Amino acid sequence: SSRHEIDLQKYMIRPAAHNPAIPPNLYLIPSAGAVSWTDTQETNDDAADAAADDDEFVDAMDTTDRAPLWTRKGDAWHRAGARLARALDDLPPSFDAVFVDTDHLAACVLTKLALASCESVVVPLSFDDGDFNRLFQDVTGNALFTDVMIPMKAKGQLRARVKRMVFSKVGSNKNEAVTTAGGIESPFKPSKTVMDQMDAMAQQVWAACTHDERYKQLFAGAEELAPGQYGGGNIVGAFTAKFFTAMKMAPDLAANLSKMMGLPLCTMTSRTYHAPSGLEGQSGKPVLDSLKSETQRLVAGLLDDRYNLPLFES
């Protein structure tokens, strides 16, 4: 490339410098924000696809065609994705982990940039059948697996593989770890009905993997799985145990105070908080301790045991 590589540290801010409630070892690179949803982006996708180097690529972007970034088609984004992947690899070892979050549609180029540059992907799951089925089929072309990740892999663009599928906003009956009948480990105990639904959805994903090998190839290490691994009795149990878990729905008061005050749950205490909106209240120590320990367990499962550190005092 004739252009310099990207140093991501130049774009980082340290939120703790503005909000002392946020842990000091967290850094943030702000996203495109409103820009990606407007018509300020200019591109000629065909010319960008054919660019021989980064100079030609940048020139191809400077045209009169205007379209919001989230509506863009083609593979012009991939050169930027490769540069972003190199930039992530070049970060100093002191950066233990990088998380990329995008709320855009699955087929949006911003999502594809993340899938092309990160090593792993965590897929949040809903109990809504329509949301779940959109992983595999979507009339707008935004099925994460079928329309985005499989075509990217076929083109050699996909770096990320599925590390974990997380059922989010799950109700809890008890603050104790449990394993469902199908082998899914949860850091808390949902109702039996919910656990049965989790098992059924996990088995649907496995069925898709056995029906079409391309789905199985999206899951990191799935092709090497054997019966009995990860505590699962058979191959289906090994698959569900390795790739599925759950995240508790946080109590409304704790969640709202956290959002309104920029206060991470991991640093919350049981004292009374007063939000600028007028909301005030406190969460009990047992509630906060369980939320913190369950979140930590999820993080350690995604990363490694270095994150099993003492929790902040509640």
Side-chain angles (χ1 to χ4, degrees):
S1 168
S2 59
R3 295 185 183 271
H4 296 296
E5 295 298 328
I6 301 169
D7 181 3
L8 292 176
Q9 294 181 85
K10 293 180 179 179
Y11 303 93
M12 294 179 185
I13 62 173
R14 191 164 169 261
H18 309 277
N19 179 358
I22 297 176
N25 64 339
L26 178 69
Y27 293 82
L28 174 69
I29 298 179
S31 67
V35 172
S36 66
W37 285 96
T38 67
D39 62 354
T40 59
Q41 303 298 316
E42 300 181 350
T43 186
N44 183 324
D45 282 348
D46 291 337
D49 283 346
D53 56 34
D54 285 346
D55 289 330
E56 288 187 14
F57 174 72
V58 172
D59 291 339
M61 301 290 281
D62 186 20
T63 72
T64 57
D65 294 334
R66 305 173 71 87
L69 192 59
W70 64 276
T71 66
R72 299 258 291 277
K73 304 297 182 183
D75 292 323
W77 61 271
H78 186 241
R79 191 179 298 273
R83 294 185 72 191
L84 179 58
R86 293 195 298 270
L88 291 174
D89 291 342
D90 289 342
L91 284 171
S94 56
F95 290 93
D96 286 340
V98 177
F99 290 88
V100 180
D101 178 42
T102 172
D103 290 331
H104 290 73
L105 299 172
C108 173
V109 294
L110 296 182
T111 303
K112 292 178 179 178
L113 284 173
L115 293 171
S117 57
C118 295
E119 295 177 351
S120 303
V121 57
V122 179
V123 181
L125 292 176
S126 165
F127 290 116
D128 181 272
D129 280 339
D131 291 340
F132 178 77
N133 291 333
R134 274 192 286 274
L135 291 172
F136 302 96
Q137 186 175 16
D138 182 70
V139 295
T140 67
N142 280 278
L144 176 63
F145 291 165
T146 307
D147 297 329
V148 181
M149 293 183 71
I150 285 178
M152 285 179 64
K153 186 177 185 302
K155 297 175 183 177
Q157 300 169 344
L158 183 69
R159 186 183 193 186
R161 296 294 187 272
V162 176
K163 180 74 174 284
R164 197 63 58 90
M165 308 272 281
V166 181
F167 291 98
S168 60
K169 299 181 179 179
V170 180
S172 171
N173 280 0
K174 198 171 184 180
N175 292 329
E176 66 176 29
V178 68
T179 300
T180 69
I184 300 175
E185 292 186 1
S186 171
F188 56 91
K189 187 175 182 178
S191 70
K192 183 182 184 304
T193 300
V194 167
M195 289 192 287
D196 289 345
Q197 192 172 4
M198 289 164 57
D199 286 340
M201 288 184 163
Q203 289 166 12
Q204 287 181 54
V205 177
W206 173 251
C209 291
T210 57
H211 176 73
D212 190 331
E213 191 73 16
R214 296 177 302 168
Y215 289 114
K216 184 187 290 187
Q217 293 170 357
L218 300 180
F219 290 79
E223 294 175 301
E224 290 79 42
L225 276 178
Q229 285 185 302
Y230 304 98
N234 54 27
I235 189 67
V236 184
F239 179 81
T240 57
K242 177 175 174 60
F243 292 109
F244 290 83
T245 187
M247 184 173 183
K248 181 193 288 182
M249 180 167 57
D252 288 340
L253 180 61
N256 288 331
L257 286 172
S258 175
K259 288 183 286 188
M260 292 178 182
M261 301 185 67
L263 183 64
L265 289 171
C266 67
T267 62
M268 257 186 156
T269 69
S270 55
R271 74 175 181 85
T272 299
Y273 290 99
H274 303 271
S277 65
L279 178 67
E280 66 176 69
Q282 64 181 133
S283 299
K285 186 178 185 301
V287 172
L288 293 174
D289 282 346
S290 65
L291 282 172
K292 292 175 182 180
S293 63
E294 290 158 10
T295 302
Q296 182 186 54
R297 185 169 175 174
L298 282 173
V299 172
L302 294 173
L303 300 174
D304 56 54
D305 282 337
R306 288 178 300 163
Y307 292 84
N308 279 326
L309 297 173
L311 300 174
F312 283 99
E313 183 66 34
S314 297

